Amino acid sequence: MTEQLLLPAFYLPNVSYFQAIYQHKGSICIEQHEHFPKQTYRTRTQIGTANGKLDLIIPIVHGKKDHVAVKDIRINYDHPWQRLHWLSIQTAYRSSAYFEYYEDDFLPFYKKEFTYLLDFHLEQLELLLRLLKIKRDISMSESYVKHIESEIDWRTEATPRKKDILPVANPYYQVFEEKTGFVPHLSIIDLLFNQGPQSRSFL
């Protein structure tokens, strides 16, 4: 029996996140009970711009408790981050080959207000898997277990410092490649907007 792949829920995860999913043929389990770790891809993604990488960070509601489960993290709408993120995405990718093809799929995430960060991530993940034509059974963790021997555990592997889960083996054309060179480890939308239906072949 194939082991489950245990993953954190990220904001528009990078290409290597989907490489891990695509190359793992079994089911996926999303961790929802871990204490929310700061400065990770759980609230940030990176896109490619004319000036290199740009971090887009979702603000969250900070409570009185230091340790809050990921499933209980709420999104903060005190500032217009949705409008700013969407403007940044438009600026970065409006000249890419497939931005207009996918634009209507992603715009709702910058119009609708999700209460919980995890709900936002899960709905995005479902969309991204559908666009990439990757079919996987997805479940949610039932409790937090620090060390799991029966599953492939990538919860702590993909961080802004470690960059990726798997190396990006297949560079692809990027909008600003002539200026910045190929920039690896960007959000999966960088691959989708540049390669469209061919994106899966780069995983």
Side-chain angles (χ1 to χ4, degrees):
M1 184 176 178
T2 306
E3 292 179 301
Q4 278 192 319
L5 177 62
L6 183 57
L7 290 169
F10 284 170
Y11 175 32
L12 292 176
N14 68 16
V15 174
S16 69
Y17 186 98
F18 288 93
Q19 278 183 293
I21 291 175
Y22 183 62
Q23 295 180 24
H24 176 78
K25 302 306 180 184
S27 61
I28 307 299
C29 181
I30 301 297
E31 175 61 70
Q32 64 172 337
H33 291 285
E34 65 179 348
H35 289 156
F36 179 78
K38 299 177 182 178
Q39 298 182 340
T40 70
Y41 290 125
R42 289 159 183 81
T43 52
R44 81 176 60 201
T45 192
Q46 294 178 321
I47 61 174
T49 73
N51 297 314
K53 290 183 181 180
L54 174 66
D55 282 4
L56 301 180
I57 302 173
I58 299 177
I60 61 172
V61 176
H62 294 278
K64 296 179 181 179
K65 297 180 180 179
D66 290 332
H67 301 299
V68 179
V70 166
K71 67 181 182 65
D72 296 322
I73 295 294
R74 294 172 179 263
I75 299 175
N76 189 330
Y77 292 98
D78 288 347
H79 301 287
W81 67 268
Q82 288 173 296
R83 183 177 66 83
L84 296 175
H85 283 206
W86 187 243
L87 284 174
S88 295
I89 291 170
Q90 286 180 305
T91 300
Y93 297 112
R94 66 162 59 99
S95 63
S96 65
Y98 293 95
F99 177 73
E100 290 186 359
Y101 185 77
Y102 294 117
E103 181 178 8
D104 290 342
D105 290 311
F106 289 95
L107 180 57
F109 292 98
Y110 302 94
K111 295 288 188 180
K112 175 182 174 181
E113 290 194 2
F114 290 76
T115 300
Y116 291 99
L117 183 69
L118 184 61
D119 292 337
F120 180 87
H121 288 344
L122 291 176
E123 198 163 312
Q124 276 195 338
L125 178 61
E126 290 176 0
L127 168 65
L128 289 163
L129 290 174
R130 177 169 58 82
L131 296 179
L132 291 165
K133 294 181 170 59
I134 299 174
K135 293 183 179 180
R136 294 291 182 272
D137 291 328
I138 298 177
S139 62
M140 307 301 296
S141 64
E142 296 181 0
S143 62
Y144 180 76
V145 180
K146 188 171 184 179
H147 300 291
I148 302 178
E149 296 181 359
S150 62
E151 296 177 350
I152 302 171
D153 185 358
W154 291 108
R155 290 174 297 179
T156 61
E157 291 303 310
T159 69
R161 289 184 180 181
K162 292 184 179 180
K163 297 299 181 188
D164 61 350
I165 295 176
L166 296 172
V168 177
N170 300 305
Y172 53 89
Y173 172 78
Q174 294 174 325
V175 175
F176 302 106
E177 189 169 342
E178 289 188 6
K179 182 176 181 179
T180 64
F182 177 74
V183 182
H185 315 309
L186 295 178
S187 167
I188 190 66
I189 63 171
D190 186 82
L191 177 59
L192 275 171
F193 292 156
N194 284 302
Q195 297 299 323
Q198 302 302 314
S199 295
R200 194 174 68 170
S201 66
F202 289 86
L203 303 178

